[in-house]
Amino acid sequence: EADIYQTPRYLVIGTGKKITLECSQTMGHDKMYWYQQDPGMELHLIHYSYGVNSTEKGDLSSESTVSRIRTEHFPLTLESARPSHTSQYLCASKRGAAPPGYGYTFGSGTRLTVV
Amino acid sequence: GEDVEQSLFLSVREGDSSVINCTYTDSSSTYLYWYKQEPGAGLQLLTYIFSNMDMKQDQRLTVLLNKKDKHLSLRIADTQTGDSAIYFCAEYNNNDMRFGAGTRLTVKP
């Protein structure tokens, strides 16, 4: 049973539309992450948060924005979608004080296609 | 270099052993991980090894760590078609998880 939920699973949207990808976790994890995954598999960190009202940009420059108003919720927004945003987006979380051996818990992903 | 490196593809026959290799970047990394991603899904933590260990075995999975060469490997014994997936190596250090590009394992009947 998933403890981290991403919606929608699949989205096809026209260029210029504003979209929000949802990510919620029920584990009370402090740390949350958004990754963009290439069709060729590689993961790129685009945003992360270490707690409420804390957000940072990741290694890969992204035109998206995030917010962290509640611990359990970490939505990602694209103000104006473009075909170059077509990708798989993965959300992950980790309890801040947990031993690193627990790793990250990942959602099932949102596959976004911008036409 | 700055990247966690893996070969991109591996193909084996059902019943054979698979060995997926990874070279990581930071000798002070405390934990090293293997994740599995099945089609259309997120990443699932398979196993991890603490940096003071050389080997860890968990049923069909064996992880070997060579700290001197910063080399990590995952051996899957008696590989099954259900093991076909993408396998990601990752290192953890200073609150930062760094992933490799993933190895796509194909298991042929």
Side-chain angles (χ1 to χ4, degrees):
Chain A
E1 186 174 336
D3 295 314
I4 182 165
Y5 305 92
Q6 289 187 245
T7 57
R9 285 295 307 276
Y10 303 94
L11 180 62
V12 180
I13 198 164
T15 297
K17 298 288 187 184
K18 177 180 177 179
I19 54 169
T20 296
L21 308 185
E22 301 289 348
C23 177
S24 295
Q25 48 95 6
T26 59
M27 299 169 284
H29 285 178
D30 310 285
K31 299 181 178 179
M32 296 189 74
Y33 307 84
W34 275 105
Y35 286 87
Q36 185 173 340
Q37 186 173 25
D38 292 345
M41 306 179 301
E42 190 165 1
L43 293 166
H44 300 285
L45 180 65
I46 51 175
H47 296 283
Y48 62 97
S49 166
Y50 284 173
V52 170
N53 294 326
S54 151
T55 61
E56 301 286 345
K57 289 187 182 295
D59 303 326
L60 180 70
S61 173
S62 172
E63 293 161 344
S64 57
T65 59
V66 291
S67 63
R68 190 89 184 274
I69 298 170
R70 302 197 315 267
T71 299
E72 62 271 21
H73 194 215
F74 191 40
L76 181 144
T77 298
L78 279 164
E79 291 292 332
S80 180
R82 295 209 303 269
S84 60
H85 296 139
T86 295
S87 192
Q88 162 104 317
Y89 292 84
L90 290 169
C91 181
S93 71
K94 179 184 180 300
R95 186 181 296 280
Y102 281 82
Y104 288 7
T105 302
F106 280 85
S108 298
T110 294
R111 184 168 295 282
L112 173 66
T113 303
V114 183
V115 297
Chain B
E2 291 294 317
D3 295 333
V4 176
E5 295 184 349
Q6 303 177 237
S7 51
L8 293 182
F9 301 98
L10 176 65
S11 180
V12 300
R13 300 195 74 85
E14 190 174 17
D16 288 350
S17 292
S18 308
V19 180
I20 303 171
N21 294 302
C22 170
T23 303
Y24 60 98
T25 62
D26 192 339
S27 58
S28 62
S29 291
T30 52
Y31 282 83
L32 296 136
Y33 304 84
W34 284 103
Y35 285 85
K36 177 183 180 183
Q37 184 180 32
E38 296 185 355
L43 276 67
Q44 171 195 1
L45 179 64
L46 267 185
T47 188
Y48 67 93
I49 188 167
F50 189 49
S51 58
N52 68 351
M53 298 168 66
D54 297 324
M55 186 182 87
K56 180 179 180 181
Q57 187 155 1
D58 183 1
Q59 299 182 326
R60 292 191 297 122
L61 304 179
T62 302
V63 178
L64 295 177
L65 176 61
N66 180 329
K67 277 196 75 173
K68 175 175 168 290
D69 295 335
K70 291 185 281 188
H71 184 263
L72 183 73
S73 67
L74 173 70
R75 178 177 181 270
I76 305 173
D78 187 24
T79 312
Q80 303 298 306
T81 53
D83 295 323
S84 292
I86 302 170
Y87 291 82
F88 290 89
C89 164
E91 62 176 342
Y92 183 86
N93 187 34
N94 279 339
N95 290 320
D96 182 29
M97 181 87 77
R98 191 179 294 271
F99 290 88
T103 299
R104 185 181 296 275
L105 173 65
T106 302
V107 182
K108 298 179 179 177

